[in-house]
Amino acid sequence: MTALTSNQKKSFEDKGVLVLPDFFTNQECDSLKSRMGELVENFQPQGEGTVFSTTEQKHTQEEYFLTSGDKIRFFFEDAQSNEQETPLGKSLNKVGHAMHDLDPVFSSFVRQPKFAKVAADIGFKHPLLLQSMYIFKPPHIGGEVVWHTDHPFLWTDPPSVKGFWVALEDATIENGCMWCLPGLHKDEPRQRFKRNDSGGTEMVVLNPDPFPTENKVPLEAKKGTLIILDGLLPHWSGPNTSSISRHAFTLHVIEREADYPEENWLQRSHEMPLRGFESELSAS
Ligand code: FE2
């Protein structure tokens, strides 16, 4: 049994994006939301969190980010420094990047058979679950995510990364839904984000031209919608200036046979190798 029709597969190949409303139930979405609520409640913020901003790169120098590939770590919005009164749970930008292997609720969510089926339908032979993120986009302070593609951050040779974006709440233009440039996934990558010799990271510019954004399309999504993004599809989301939060969960998957360079920012310890959809969570 397949998850996608041939028209849907063709549409994904042509446009680099596929929107699947009602892919997850409200209950499935709520299981992630309430589990994240528990993780946030148990988080001890003393000196641990770091600001995550795509408009400046200072966070990338921080060890906290660079060693988060096989952990569950907490990243705050820029605006928090100006909003000291903002409660912890309302000032988070995201949590990442290995909940899908470390937390039983997140592991069960991504290892539902329908997830593996849809991955197979878009061409994965031996998918590896590389990165998970819980994105908060909090009311009033949720920041912009600048135009980018995911492949430069999760580079493989050949390119293989695909993003699975789950609306845990309704995403609208007002609360900062994603936008994309359908069809531009066929372009060559314009950037490559990598570790450098001095222990930090750098963004290598391969093509300085900005994306042509005149034909950008909003990806408004009701709770439970799955959006699949090709790793080379440009996407963007504006700040959340509304009073309504916009929680989302993302999973990034790569092909096992593709080469995964050591210069990529996201690295795992040898004790925690990447796993596929089929693996059981060994310890909880
Ligand atoms: Fe992205």
Side-chain angles (χ1 to χ4, degrees):
M1 190 181 129
T2 60
L4 300 179
T5 66
S6 52
N7 279 348
Q8 287 173 320
K9 291 181 203 175
K10 172 94 170 61
S11 177
F12 182 67
E13 281 167 22
D14 291 345
K15 296 179 178 163
V17 59
L18 189 62
V19 179
L20 301 171
D22 298 319
F23 194 86
F24 297 101
T25 65
N26 279 349
Q27 195 179 17
E28 287 165 348
C29 293
D30 290 343
S31 73
L32 287 199
K33 286 178 69 177
S34 64
R35 179 59 185 151
M36 182 48 65
E38 291 172 5
L39 294 175
V40 169
E41 205 156 289
N42 294 331
F43 172 58
Q44 303 292 323
Q46 291 107 336
E48 232 198 84
T50 188
V51 168
F52 183 84
S53 163
T54 60
T55 52
E56 55 180 290
Q57 294 294 334
K58 70 183 178 191
H59 72 284
T60 61
Q61 304 305 319
E62 296 178 60
E63 195 66 8
Y64 187 77
F65 171 71
L66 286 175
T67 55
S68 67
D70 52 8
K71 299 184 181 66
I72 300 176
R73 288 193 165 165
F74 297 71
F75 301 89
F76 292 90
E77 291 287 349
D78 265 344
Q80 198 213 2
S81 53
N82 304 321
E83 302 245 354
Q84 292 300 334
E85 302 305 313
T86 307
L88 172 65
K90 294 195 163 45
S91 57
L92 281 163
N93 172 290
K94 68 175 181 179
V95 174
H97 291 94
M99 289 89 76
H100 61 289
D101 281 336
L102 292 171
D103 185 85
V105 175
F106 281 85
S107 177
S108 299
F109 184 87
V110 300
R111 291 187 169 87
Q112 298 175 77
K114 61 186 174 185
F115 230 132
K117 273 183 195 150
V118 84
D121 279 359
I122 60 166
F124 276 104
K125 299 278 181 278
H126 300 108
L128 293 175
L129 314 189
L130 177 60
Q131 169 187 272
S132 52
M133 296 191 287
Y134 191 104
I135 297 163
F136 294 84
K137 201 73 144 178
H140 306 300
I141 61 168
E144 174 188 9
V145 177
V146 299
W147 282 105
H148 70 283
T149 66
D150 294 336
H151 169 67
F153 298 90
L154 303 169
W155 191 281
T156 64
D157 288 310
S160 68
V161 68
K162 305 283 185 290
F164 296 84
W165 189 100
V166 182
L168 300 179
E169 299 177 325
D170 294 348
T172 65
I173 290 174
E174 288 71 33
N175 69 1
C177 71
M178 280 196 298
W179 295 65
C180 73
L181 306 174
L184 260 70
H185 63 300
K186 294 179 178 172
D187 285 6
E188 293 293 312
R190 295 172 190 233
Q191 298 176 313
R192 180 167 181 180
F193 185 72
K194 59 200 287 193
R195 290 175 183 252
N196 59 28
D197 294 339
S198 55
T201 58
E202 61 183 317
M203 182 65 86
V204 178
V205 176
L206 306 172
N207 174 353
D209 297 340
F211 293 112
T213 58
E214 307 82 48
N215 297 322
K216 65 180 188 288
V217 171
L219 296 171
E220 291 193 296
K222 285 274 180 205
K223 178 177 179 177
T225 300
L226 173 65
I227 299 177
I228 311 175
L229 295 173
D230 188 278
L232 282 165
L233 186 80
H235 53 284
W236 171 87
S237 67
N240 183 1
T241 55
S242 80
S243 58
I244 299 164
S245 67
R246 199 222 71 180
H247 288 201
F249 172 74
T250 67
L251 178 73
H252 284 89
V253 177
I254 57 173
E255 186 65 50
R256 189 179 72 191
E257 273 67 36
D259 181 55
Y260 188 82
E262 286 181 2
E263 309 91 69
N264 281 2
W265 81 265
L266 195 164
Q267 299 293 333
R268 284 196 169 199
S269 67
H270 293 299
E271 295 78 52
M272 214 177 119
L274 292 174
R275 293 188 274 153
F277 285 107
E278 70 287 347
S279 312
E280 295 296 322
L281 190 64
S282 54
S284 61

